[in-house]
Amino acid sequence: MSVYEIRTYTDTYPIYELIETNTRSWFKIAPERGGIVISYGTNGEELLYLDKATFDDPNANIRGGIPVLFPISGQLTDGAYEWNGKRYTMKNHGVARTHPWQIEQTSTQDGAAITLTLKSSESTRDSYPFDFELRFTYRLKNGKLTIEQEYRNESDEAMPMYPGFHPYFAATRKAIAYETDASRYYDYNDGTEKPYEGKAIDLDRLPESVVFLNPQKREITFSPTEDRRIRMTYGDDFKYVVLWSVAGKDFVCIEPWMAKTDELNRKQELVLVPPRGTHKTFLTIERNQ
């Protein structure tokens, strides 16, 4: 009997649940709702936070799960940018999280896996004038969730982007010391750069985010509860990790980004995908304890 299962059901939207029975692990994904993972657990314990009401409301930004950020991470000044002499407007974190994704395939051959695609459309081109295809494979194996990403540029010119992810982890504490080799972080609360010496950063006291600036290793480990350690690893292109929460809410967001907020206006660290080219990378999430 296979240790992998894939189930489907409807809860406001069609949900795909992928299960690894021997590790009591699973994840749930909603392709129509921006391709968002709404649940991920291992050893029988949920690791993510989800405000279900925001998921059910098609007009709300989902607070929880693992939203996909593309082509930008964060905000744009005045919600706009200029490209090739033309002004475009774009909502925070881009277009991928607000458009339905298509299911390409599912598999139980090498873990429990599902591949989703998102293609450019008239709607996406209104704010992002490039033809693209995203192809993400979400794979559960040995209790680890891996997101294998392909960003395909179908345009005749280089395609600028700085994608990211916005995982919401269930938390019983916000003052957390992060295991990272980053030695500095930028604090958007007071607009200053500060040294990081491994001491706890209390997100309950910080209404705005902070971002680790110079990690050499593309990994971070943290304990959002006293008895739980979570480790994320990611491709070299994810240069930054953003930390954010909301006071009084039981979550912390630990977010790998390829560039800092508003990069589409600065144009200093853009990832430029060549015409007809594909950019590949990955993100893994696992519980270490």
Side-chain angles (χ1 to χ4, degrees):
M1 181 178 177
S2 174
V3 300
Y4 300 111
E5 301 176 26
I6 299 176
R7 302 172 181 170
T8 61
Y9 63 95
T10 298
D11 184 0
T12 306
Y13 300 93
I15 306 295
Y16 284 71
E17 181 177 13
L18 290 83
I19 301 165
E20 184 178 52
T21 57
N22 63 334
T23 60
R24 295 193 296 150
S25 302
W26 72 88
F27 73 91
K28 302 175 185 179
I29 192 166
E32 290 186 10
R33 194 68 165 95
I36 187 172
V37 171
I38 59 171
S39 173
Y40 164 52
T42 188
N43 197 27
E45 186 175 16
E46 176 66 63
L47 301 183
L48 299 181
Y49 170 94
L50 179 67
D51 181 337
K52 186 64 162 51
T54 62
F55 172 75
D56 291 339
D57 182 352
N59 298 312
N61 290 327
I62 301 171
R63 181 152 287 180
I66 308 178
V68 177
L69 315 183
F70 172 87
I72 68 171
S73 299
Q75 305 172 346
L76 296 172
T77 300
D78 299 323
Y81 69 101
E82 184 177 296
W83 195 262
N84 288 340
K86 184 175 179 179
R87 186 176 185 271
Y88 298 90
T89 60
M90 189 185 299
K91 293 181 179 180
N92 294 357
H93 300 314
V95 302
R97 67 183 184 136
T98 58
H99 285 77
W101 292 56
Q102 303 301 312
I103 302 159
E104 182 173 296
Q105 65 182 19
T106 60
S107 174
T108 56
Q109 297 304 306
D110 183 25
I114 184 170
T115 299
L116 306 182
T117 59
L118 176 67
K119 296 184 179 181
S120 53
S121 63
E122 183 177 347
S123 176
T124 66
R125 284 188 287 270
D126 284 342
S127 57
Y128 185 60
F130 297 90
D131 291 323
F132 63 82
E133 180 178 359
L134 308 187
R135 188 176 188 271
F136 285 15
T137 296
Y138 295 78
R139 189 181 310 277
L140 179 64
K141 187 176 181 180
N142 298 326
K144 178 191 297 186
L145 176 61
T146 301
I147 307 174
E148 303 160 8
Q149 307 146 53
E150 297 183 12
Y151 302 86
R152 171 75 180 176
N153 179 10
E154 301 285 358
S155 304
D156 293 326
E157 62 174 302
M159 182 178 77
M161 67 172 195
Y162 48 106
F165 291 90
H166 198 309
Y168 287 73
F169 294 98
T172 57
R173 60 185 181 185
K174 305 288 191 69
I176 299 171
Y178 296 88
E179 296 178 36
T180 173
D181 65 0
S183 61
R184 305 194 67 78
Y185 68 94
Y186 185 83
D187 188 342
Y188 283 101
N189 293 273
D190 58 15
T192 63
E193 188 174 314
K194 300 174 180 178
Y196 184 66
E197 299 171 341
K199 297 181 180 179
I201 297 174
D202 190 350
L203 295 180
D204 242 354
R205 298 177 179 274
L206 301 174
E208 301 297 333
S209 61
V210 304
V211 53
F212 285 123
L213 295 176
N214 61 342
Q216 300 303 305
K217 296 180 180 179
R218 297 299 192 254
E219 61 181 64
I220 190 167
T221 303
F222 53 96
S223 297
T225 69
E226 187 173 342
D227 61 351
R228 184 186 306 163
R229 293 177 76 245
I230 295 174
R231 179 173 180 256
M232 292 198 296
T233 60
Y234 28 84
D236 287 342
D237 27 27
F238 292 103
K239 299 178 181 179
Y240 302 95
V241 176
V242 176
L243 315 177
W244 178 76
S245 188
V246 173
K249 298 294 185 179
D250 297 331
F251 68 80
V252 291
C253 293
I254 317 299
E255 312 171 35
W257 291 10
M258 292 190 186
K260 297 191 295 296
T261 193
D262 206 32
E263 176 58 25
L264 204 47
N265 280 311
R266 282 193 305 273
K267 299 178 174 61
Q268 296 173 357
E269 294 184 293
L270 289 170
V271 176
L272 296 172
V273 185
R276 311 297 172 179
T278 301
H279 185 93
K280 297 182 180 182
T281 190
F282 73 94
L283 165 67
T284 70
I285 305 173
E286 61 187 314
R287 179 174 177 173
N288 274 10
Q289 174 182 314

